[in-house]
mmCIF file of all heavy atoms in Angstrom:
data_model
loop_
_atom_site.group_PDB
_atom_site.id
_atom_site.type_symbol
_atom_site.label_atom_id
_atom_site.label_comp_id
_atom_site.label_asym_id
_atom_site.label_seq_id
_atom_site.Cartn_x
_atom_site.Cartn_y
_atom_site.Cartn_z
ATOM 1 N N VAL A 672 14.016 4.820 -1.204
ATOM 2 C CA VAL A 672 14.118 5.347 -2.569
ATOM 3 C C VAL A 672 12.830 6.092 -2.895
ATOM 4 O O VAL A 672 11.740 5.505 -2.845
ATOM 5 C CB VAL A 672 14.332 4.205 -3.589
ATOM 6 C CG1 VAL A 672 14.180 4.730 -5.016
ATOM 7 C CG2 VAL A 672 15.707 3.584 -3.400
ATOM 8 N N PHE A 673 12.953 7.391 -3.194
ATOM 9 C CA PHE A 673 11.808 8.156 -3.675
ATOM 10 C C PHE A 673 11.986 8.347 -5.176
ATOM 11 O O PHE A 673 12.857 9.092 -5.622
ATOM 12 C CB PHE A 673 11.702 9.506 -2.972
ATOM 13 C CG PHE A 673 10.596 10.383 -3.503
ATOM 14 C CD1 PHE A 673 9.333 9.868 -3.761
ATOM 15 C CD2 PHE A 673 10.823 11.730 -3.753
ATOM 16 C CE1 PHE A 673 8.312 10.675 -4.252
ATOM 17 C CE2 PHE A 673 9.816 12.550 -4.248
ATOM 18 C CZ PHE A 673 8.558 12.015 -4.497
ATOM 19 N N ALA A 674 11.171 7.638 -5.950
ATOM 20 C CA ALA A 674 11.262 7.676 -7.408
ATOM 21 C C ALA A 674 10.230 8.649 -7.958
ATOM 22 O O ALA A 674 9.041 8.545 -7.645
ATOM 23 C CB ALA A 674 11.033 6.279 -7.985
ATOM 24 N N SER A 675 10.668 9.578 -8.791
ATOM 25 C CA SER A 675 9.774 10.605 -9.325
ATOM 26 C C SER A 675 10.442 11.231 -10.540
ATOM 27 O O SER A 675 11.624 11.000 -10.807
ATOM 28 C CB SER A 675 9.516 11.669 -8.250
ATOM 29 O OG SER A 675 8.765 12.747 -8.766
ATOM 30 N N ASP A 676 9.657 12.024 -11.303
ATOM 31 C CA ASP A 676 10.291 12.846 -12.334
ATOM 32 C C ASP A 676 10.586 14.244 -11.791
ATOM 33 O O ASP A 676 11.203 15.057 -12.469
ATOM 34 C CB ASP A 676 9.419 12.926 -13.601
ATOM 35 C CG ASP A 676 8.051 13.528 -13.340
ATOM 36 O OD1 ASP A 676 7.826 14.069 -12.232
ATOM 37 O OD2 ASP A 676 7.198 13.446 -14.239
ATOM 38 N N PHE A 677 10.109 14.518 -10.571
ATOM 39 C CA PHE A 677 10.364 15.767 -9.850
ATOM 40 C C PHE A 677 9.875 17.003 -10.600
ATOM 41 O O PHE A 677 10.377 18.104 -10.418
ATOM 42 C CB PHE A 677 11.850 15.895 -9.492
ATOM 43 C CG PHE A 677 12.296 14.835 -8.520
ATOM 44 C CD1 PHE A 677 12.832 13.640 -8.982
ATOM 45 C CD2 PHE A 677 12.121 14.997 -7.161
ATOM 46 C CE1 PHE A 677 13.200 12.639 -8.096
ATOM 47 C CE2 PHE A 677 12.489 14.003 -6.262
ATOM 48 C CZ PHE A 677 13.033 12.825 -6.729
ATOM 49 N N ARG A 678 8.846 16.799 -11.425
ATOM 50 C CA ARG A 678 8.220 17.938 -12.098
ATOM 51 C C ARG A 678 7.138 18.569 -11.214
ATOM 52 O O ARG A 678 6.797 19.731 -11.387
ATOM 53 C CB ARG A 678 7.622 17.498 -13.439
ATOM 54 C CG ARG A 678 8.678 16.972 -14.414
ATOM 55 C CD ARG A 678 8.079 16.614 -15.766
ATOM 56 N NE ARG A 678 9.053 15.913 -16.588
ATOM 57 C CZ ARG A 678 9.997 16.502 -17.308
ATOM 58 N NH1 ARG A 678 10.098 17.816 -17.298
ATOM 59 N NH2 ARG A 678 10.845 15.781 -18.029
ATOM 60 N N ASP A 679 6.580 17.772 -10.317
ATOM 61 C CA ASP A 679 5.604 18.294 -9.376
ATOM 62 C C ASP A 679 6.339 18.646 -8.084
ATOM 63 O O ASP A 679 6.816 17.772 -7.372
ATOM 64 C CB ASP A 679 4.522 17.246 -9.096
ATOM 65 C CG ASP A 679 3.399 17.784 -8.220
ATOM 66 O OD1 ASP A 679 3.575 18.868 -7.633
ATOM 67 O OD2 ASP A 679 2.361 17.119 -8.126
ATOM 68 N N SER A 680 6.456 19.922 -7.806
ATOM 69 C CA SER A 680 7.209 20.350 -6.622
ATOM 70 C C SER A 680 6.277 20.891 -5.541
ATOM 71 O O SER A 680 6.609 21.828 -4.827
ATOM 72 C CB SER A 680 8.237 21.420 -7.006
ATOM 73 O OG SER A 680 7.587 22.559 -7.563
ATOM 74 N N SER A 681 5.074 20.314 -5.433
ATOM 75 C CA SER A 681 4.089 20.825 -4.478
ATOM 76 C C SER A 681 4.547 20.613 -3.041
ATOM 77 O O SER A 681 5.270 19.669 -2.716
ATOM 78 C CB SER A 681 2.744 20.134 -4.705
ATOM 79 O OG SER A 681 2.786 18.788 -4.269
ATOM 80 N N ASP A 682 4.091 21.510 -2.180
ATOM 81 C CA ASP A 682 4.425 21.416 -0.758
ATOM 82 C C ASP A 682 3.846 20.147 -0.144
ATOM 83 O O ASP A 682 4.461 19.547 0.742
ATOM 84 C CB ASP A 682 3.888 22.639 -0.017
ATOM 85 C CG ASP A 682 4.617 23.918 -0.388
ATOM 86 O OD1 ASP A 682 5.753 23.820 -0.886
ATOM 87 O OD2 ASP A 682 4.054 25.009 -0.169
ATOM 88 N N GLU A 683 2.661 19.738 -0.604
ATOM 89 C CA GLU A 683 2.010 18.561 -0.033
ATOM 90 C C GLU A 683 2.868 17.318 -0.209
ATOM 91 O O GLU A 683 3.087 16.554 0.740
ATOM 92 C CB GLU A 683 0.640 18.335 -0.677
ATOM 93 C CG GLU A 683 -0.090 17.140 -0.088
ATOM 94 C CD GLU A 683 -1.405 16.838 -0.797
ATOM 95 O OE1 GLU A 683 -1.615 17.344 -1.913
ATOM 96 O OE2 GLU A 683 -2.198 16.079 -0.232
ATOM 97 N N ILE A 684 3.367 17.097 -1.430
ATOM 98 C CA ILE A 684 4.206 15.926 -1.680
ATOM 99 C C ILE A 684 5.488 16.006 -0.851
ATOM 100 O O ILE A 684 5.898 15.025 -0.226
ATOM 101 C CB ILE A 684 4.533 15.807 -3.180
ATOM 102 C CG1 ILE A 684 3.261 15.484 -3.966
ATOM 103 C CG2 ILE A 684 5.594 14.729 -3.412
ATOM 104 C CD1 ILE A 684 3.449 15.484 -5.454
ATOM 105 N N ALA A 685 6.109 17.167 -0.843
ATOM 106 C CA ALA A 685 7.343 17.329 -0.076
ATOM 107 C C ALA A 685 7.123 17.047 1.402
ATOM 108 O O ALA A 685 7.939 16.372 2.049
ATOM 109 C CB ALA A 685 7.888 18.736 -0.272
ATOM 110 N N ASN A 686 6.019 17.532 1.953
ATOM 111 C CA ASN A 686 5.735 17.308 3.373
ATOM 112 C C ASN A 686 5.486 15.830 3.663
ATOM 113 O O ASN A 686 5.874 15.327 4.724
ATOM 114 C CB ASN A 686 4.528 18.140 3.800
ATOM 115 C CG ASN A 686 4.831 19.624 3.847
ATOM 116 O OD1 ASN A 686 5.988 20.024 3.990
ATOM 117 N ND2 ASN A 686 3.808 20.455 3.720
ATOM 118 N N ARG A 687 4.830 15.142 2.734
ATOM 119 C CA ARG A 687 4.609 13.701 2.915
ATOM 120 C C ARG A 687 5.945 12.946 2.946
ATOM 121 O O ARG A 687 6.151 12.046 3.765
ATOM 122 C CB ARG A 687 3.738 13.160 1.784
ATOM 123 C CG ARG A 687 2.313 13.700 1.757
ATOM 124 C CD ARG A 687 1.427 13.002 2.747
ATOM 125 N NE ARG A 687 0.050 13.488 2.668
ATOM 126 C CZ ARG A 687 -0.934 13.033 3.422
ATOM 127 N NH1 ARG A 687 -0.705 12.078 4.301
ATOM 128 N NH2 ARG A 687 -2.157 13.517 3.308
ATOM 129 N N ILE A 688 6.836 13.305 2.033
ATOM 130 C CA ILE A 688 8.140 12.635 1.979
ATOM 131 C C ILE A 688 8.965 12.963 3.214
ATOM 132 O O ILE A 688 9.643 12.095 3.782
ATOM 133 C CB ILE A 688 8.893 13.047 0.692
ATOM 134 C CG1 ILE A 688 8.108 12.607 -0.551
ATOM 135 C CG2 ILE A 688 10.287 12.443 0.673
ATOM 136 C CD1 ILE A 688 7.815 11.128 -0.616
ATOM 137 N N LYS A 689 8.889 14.208 3.680
ATOM 138 C CA LYS A 689 9.613 14.576 4.899
ATOM 139 C C LYS A 689 9.113 13.784 6.101
ATOM 140 O O LYS A 689 9.884 13.437 7.004
ATOM 141 C CB LYS A 689 9.460 16.076 5.158
ATOM 142 C CG LYS A 689 10.375 16.948 4.306
ATOM 143 C CD LYS A 689 10.306 18.395 4.743
ATOM 144 C CE LYS A 689 11.330 19.232 3.992
ATOM 145 N NZ LYS A 689 11.307 20.646 4.410
ATOM 146 N N ARG A 690 7.808 13.510 6.113
ATOM 147 C CA ARG A 690 7.260 12.744 7.223
ATOM 148 C C ARG A 690 7.822 11.325 7.234
ATOM 149 O O ARG A 690 8.136 10.779 8.287
ATOM 150 C CB ARG A 690 5.733 12.710 7.130
ATOM 151 C CG ARG A 690 5.052 12.116 8.351
ATOM 152 C CD ARG A 690 3.546 12.283 8.282
ATOM 153 N NE ARG A 690 3.157 13.684 8.185
ATOM 154 C CZ ARG A 690 1.912 14.096 8.025
ATOM 155 N NH1 ARG A 690 0.934 13.221 7.922
ATOM 156 N NH2 ARG A 690 1.649 15.388 7.961
ATOM 157 N N ILE A 691 7.932 10.717 6.043
ATOM 158 C CA ILE A 691 8.550 9.378 5.976
ATOM 159 C C ILE A 691 9.984 9.442 6.479
ATOM 160 O O ILE A 691 10.443 8.584 7.231
ATOM 161 C CB ILE A 691 8.551 8.841 4.532
ATOM 162 C CG1 ILE A 691 7.156 8.791 3.941
ATOM 163 C CG2 ILE A 691 9.150 7.429 4.490
ATOM 164 C CD1 ILE A 691 7.144 8.403 2.478
ATOM 165 N N GLN A 692 10.687 10.476 6.044
ATOM 166 C CA GLN A 692 12.092 10.616 6.423
ATOM 167 C C GLN A 692 12.246 10.743 7.936
ATOM 168 O O GLN A 692 13.142 10.139 8.533
ATOM 169 C CB GLN A 692 12.698 11.837 5.731
ATOM 170 C CG GLN A 692 14.212 11.918 5.826
ATOM 171 C CD GLN A 692 14.758 13.112 5.077
ATOM 172 O OE1 GLN A 692 14.078 14.121 4.925
ATOM 173 N NE2 GLN A 692 15.990 13.001 4.608
ATOM 174 N N SER A 693 11.350 11.481 8.562
ATOM 175 C CA SER A 693 11.450 11.667 10.011
ATOM 176 C C SER A 693 11.022 10.413 10.768
ATOM 177 O O SER A 693 11.599 10.077 11.806
ATOM 178 C CB SER A 693 10.595 12.864 10.445
ATOM 179 O OG SER A 693 9.223 12.623 10.197
ATOM 180 N N VAL A 694 10.008 9.721 10.258
ATOM 181 C CA VAL A 694 9.513 8.515 10.936
ATOM 182 C C VAL A 694 10.575 7.425 10.954
ATOM 183 O O VAL A 694 10.811 6.790 11.986
ATOM 184 C CB VAL A 694 8.228 7.999 10.258
ATOM 185 C CG1 VAL A 694 7.893 6.577 10.714
ATOM 186 C CG2 VAL A 694 7.060 8.924 10.568
ATOM 187 N N PHE A 695 11.245 7.227 9.826
ATOM 188 C CA PHE A 695 12.206 6.136 9.723
ATOM 189 C C PHE A 695 13.649 6.585 9.949
ATOM 190 O O PHE A 695 14.547 5.744 10.018
ATOM 191 C CB PHE A 695 12.090 5.455 8.359
ATOM 192 C CG PHE A 695 10.761 4.800 8.128
ATOM 193 C CD1 PHE A 695 9.966 5.165 7.056
ATOM 194 C CD2 PHE A 695 10.292 3.827 8.989
ATOM 195 C CE1 PHE A 695 8.726 4.578 6.840
ATOM 196 C CE2 PHE A 695 9.060 3.229 8.791
ATOM 197 C CZ PHE A 695 8.273 3.602 7.718
ATOM 198 N N ASP A 696 13.870 7.908 10.023
ATOM 199 C CA ASP A 696 15.231 8.428 10.195
ATOM 200 C C ASP A 696 16.169 7.768 9.183
ATOM 201 O O ASP A 696 17.225 7.233 9.521
ATOM 202 C CB ASP A 696 15.714 8.173 11.624
ATOM 203 C CG ASP A 696 17.031 8.891 11.916
ATOM 204 O OD1 ASP A 696 17.312 9.909 11.255
ATOM 205 O OD2 ASP A 696 17.783 8.405 12.796
ATOM 206 N N ALA A 697 15.761 7.817 7.925
ATOM 207 C CA ALA A 697 16.425 7.023 6.882
ATOM 208 C C ALA A 697 17.234 7.880 5.918
ATOM 209 O O ALA A 697 16.985 9.076 5.749
ATOM 210 C CB ALA A 697 15.372 6.245 6.096
ATOM 211 N N GLN A 698 18.203 7.230 5.281
ATOM 212 C CA GLN A 698 18.903 7.828 4.148
ATOM 213 C C GLN A 698 17.969 7.786 2.944
ATOM 214 O O GLN A 698 17.415 6.738 2.607
ATOM 215 C CB GLN A 698 20.165 7.027 3.838
ATOM 216 C CG GLN A 698 20.813 7.346 2.500
ATOM 217 C CD GLN A 698 21.477 8.711 2.486
ATOM 218 O OE1 GLN A 698 22.422 8.945 3.207
ATOM 219 N NE2 GLN A 698 20.979 9.612 1.661
ATOM 220 N N PHE A 699 17.779 8.935 2.291
ATOM 221 C CA PHE A 699 16.881 9.006 1.146
ATOM 222 C C PHE A 699 17.652 9.116 -0.153
ATOM 223 O O PHE A 699 18.620 9.873 -0.256
ATOM 224 C CB PHE A 699 15.938 10.215 1.280
ATOM 225 C CG PHE A 699 14.553 9.855 1.726
ATOM 226 C CD1 PHE A 699 14.331 9.409 3.025
ATOM 227 C CD2 PHE A 699 13.480 9.933 0.871
ATOM 228 C CE1 PHE A 699 13.070 9.069 3.453
ATOM 229 C CE2 PHE A 699 12.206 9.589 1.279
ATOM 230 C CZ PHE A 699 12.002 9.160 2.575
ATOM 231 N N TYR A 700 17.193 8.343 -1.145
ATOM 232 C CA TYR A 700 17.692 8.444 -2.509
ATOM 233 C C TYR A 700 16.583 9.042 -3.371
ATOM 234 O O TYR A 700 15.507 8.458 -3.492
ATOM 235 C CB TYR A 700 18.066 7.066 -3.059
ATOM 236 C CG TYR A 700 19.217 6.397 -2.358
ATOM 237 C CD1 TYR A 700 19.018 5.713 -1.152
ATOM 238 C CD2 TYR A 700 20.502 6.420 -2.895
ATOM 239 C CE1 TYR A 700 20.062 5.092 -0.496
ATOM 240 C CE2 TYR A 700 21.561 5.786 -2.249
ATOM 241 C CZ TYR A 700 21.336 5.132 -1.056
ATOM 242 O OH TYR A 700 22.377 4.509 -0.411
ATOM 243 N N PHE A 701 16.838 10.203 -3.953
ATOM 244 C CA PHE A 701 15.913 10.789 -4.922
ATOM 245 C C PHE A 701 16.382 10.364 -6.303
ATOM 246 O O PHE A 701 17.486 10.716 -6.722
ATOM 247 C CB PHE A 701 15.924 12.318 -4.828
ATOM 248 C CG PHE A 701 15.133 12.877 -3.672
ATOM 249 C CD1 PHE A 701 14.564 12.052 -2.711
ATOM 250 C CD2 PHE A 701 14.950 14.248 -3.544
ATOM 251 C CE1 PHE A 701 13.833 12.562 -1.659
ATOM 252 C CE2 PHE A 701 14.222 14.772 -2.488
ATOM 253 C CZ PHE A 701 13.662 13.935 -1.545
ATOM 254 N N VAL A 702 15.545 9.597 -7.024
ATOM 255 C CA VAL A 702 16.008 9.019 -8.284
ATOM 256 C C VAL A 702 15.046 9.326 -9.419
ATOM 257 O O VAL A 702 13.822 9.253 -9.260
ATOM 258 C CB VAL A 702 16.216 7.487 -8.156
ATOM 259 C CG1 VAL A 702 14.932 6.775 -7.773
ATOM 260 C CG2 VAL A 702 16.803 6.905 -9.432
ATOM 261 N N VAL A 703 15.617 9.690 -10.564
ATOM 262 C CA VAL A 703 14.892 9.793 -11.831
ATOM 263 C C VAL A 703 15.340 8.634 -12.704
ATOM 264 O O VAL A 703 16.546 8.401 -12.868
ATOM 265 C CB VAL A 703 15.188 11.128 -12.553
ATOM 266 C CG1 VAL A 703 14.634 11.113 -13.974
ATOM 267 C CG2 VAL A 703 14.600 12.294 -11.772
ATOM 268 N N VAL A 704 14.376 7.891 -13.260
ATOM 269 C CA VAL A 704 14.699 6.783 -14.161
ATOM 270 C C VAL A 704 14.642 7.290 -15.595
ATOM 271 O O VAL A 704 13.622 7.821 -16.042
ATOM 272 C CB VAL A 704 13.744 5.596 -13.964
ATOM 273 C CG1 VAL A 704 14.024 4.511 -15.000
ATOM 274 C CG2 VAL A 704 13.884 5.028 -12.556
ATOM 275 N N ASN A 705 15.738 7.140 -16.298
ATOM 276 C CA ASN A 705 15.861 7.582 -17.683
ATOM 277 C C ASN A 705 15.623 6.389 -18.605
ATOM 278 O O ASN A 705 16.274 5.351 -18.462
ATOM 279 C CB ASN A 705 17.262 8.154 -17.908
ATOM 280 C CG ASN A 705 17.289 9.215 -18.975
ATOM 281 O OD1 ASN A 705 16.263 9.620 -19.498
ATOM 282 N ND2 ASN A 705 18.491 9.677 -19.312
ATOM 283 N N THR A 706 14.677 6.506 -19.531
ATOM 284 C CA THR A 706 14.343 5.402 -20.431
ATOM 285 C C THR A 706 14.549 5.827 -21.882
ATOM 286 O O THR A 706 14.529 7.022 -22.195
ATOM 287 C CB THR A 706 12.880 4.969 -20.238
ATOM 288 O OG1 THR A 706 12.007 6.048 -20.604
ATOM 289 C CG2 THR A 706 12.615 4.575 -18.800
ATOM 290 N N PRO A 707 14.717 4.864 -22.801
ATOM 291 C CA PRO A 707 14.899 5.213 -24.218
ATOM 292 C C PRO A 707 13.718 6.002 -24.786
ATOM 293 O O PRO A 707 13.907 6.902 -25.616
ATOM 294 C CB PRO A 707 15.015 3.846 -24.904
ATOM 295 C CG PRO A 707 15.513 2.929 -23.842
ATOM 296 C CD PRO A 707 14.887 3.412 -22.577
ATOM 297 N N GLY A 708 12.521 5.704 -24.331
ATOM 298 C CA GLY A 708 11.349 6.391 -24.868
ATOM 299 C C GLY A 708 11.106 7.758 -24.267
ATOM 300 O O GLY A 708 10.280 8.528 -24.761
ATOM 301 N N ASN A 709 11.785 8.067 -23.182
ATOM 302 C CA ASN A 709 11.598 9.357 -22.507
ATOM 303 C C ASN A 709 12.950 9.864 -22.037
ATOM 304 O O ASN A 709 13.163 10.168 -20.865
ATOM 305 C CB ASN A 709 10.635 9.190 -21.326
ATOM 306 C CG ASN A 709 10.144 10.513 -20.790
ATOM 307 O OD1 ASN A 709 10.113 11.526 -21.494
ATOM 308 N ND2 ASN A 709 9.770 10.533 -19.518
ATOM 309 N N PHE A 710 13.860 9.995 -23.000
ATOM 310 C CA PHE A 710 15.253 10.301 -22.677
ATOM 311 C C PHE A 710 15.451 11.781 -22.387
ATOM 312 O O PHE A 710 14.847 12.648 -23.012
ATOM 313 C CB PHE A 710 16.169 9.893 -23.838
ATOM 314 C CG PHE A 710 17.612 10.252 -23.601
ATOM 315 C CD1 PHE A 710 18.412 9.428 -22.825
ATOM 316 C CD2 PHE A 710 18.154 11.419 -24.130
ATOM 317 C CE1 PHE A 710 19.739 9.754 -22.594
ATOM 318 C CE2 PHE A 710 19.478 11.752 -23.900
ATOM 319 C CZ PHE A 710 20.272 10.918 -23.125
ATOM 320 N N GLU A 711 16.305 12.056 -21.413
ATOM 321 C CA GLU A 711 16.796 13.411 -21.183
ATOM 322 C C GLU A 711 18.209 13.301 -20.621
ATOM 323 O O GLU A 711 18.624 12.223 -20.151
ATOM 324 C CB GLU A 711 15.896 14.189 -20.231
ATOM 325 C CG GLU A 711 15.866 13.657 -18.820
ATOM 326 C CD GLU A 711 14.982 14.517 -17.915
ATOM 327 O OE1 GLU A 711 14.283 15.414 -18.429
ATOM 328 O OE2 GLU A 711 14.985 14.285 -16.698
ATOM 329 N N THR A 712 18.935 14.380 -20.651
ATOM 330 C CA THR A 712 20.319 14.326 -20.183
ATOM 331 C C THR A 712 20.358 14.214 -18.661
ATOM 332 O O THR A 712 19.422 14.620 -17.963
ATOM 333 C CB THR A 712 21.091 15.588 -20.603
ATOM 334 O OG1 THR A 712 20.532 16.728 -19.933
ATOM 335 C CG2 THR A 712 21.024 15.789 -22.110
#
Side-chain angles (χ1 to χ4, degrees):
V672 170
F673 176 44
S675 174
D676 60 10
F677 295 92
R678 298 183 190 278
D679 185 347
S680 60
S681 72
D682 291 339
E683 181 185 16
I684 293 174
N686 289 336
R687 294 280 183 179
I688 298 303
K689 281 188 174 181
R690 189 172 301 175
I691 303 174
Q692 192 178 28
S693 64
V694 166
F695 297 122
D696 189 25
Q698 167 71 64
F699 258 70
Y700 295 81
F701 282 6
V702 60
V703 170
V704 175
N705 209 6
T706 64
N709 193 25
F710 177 82
E711 66 178 8
T712 65

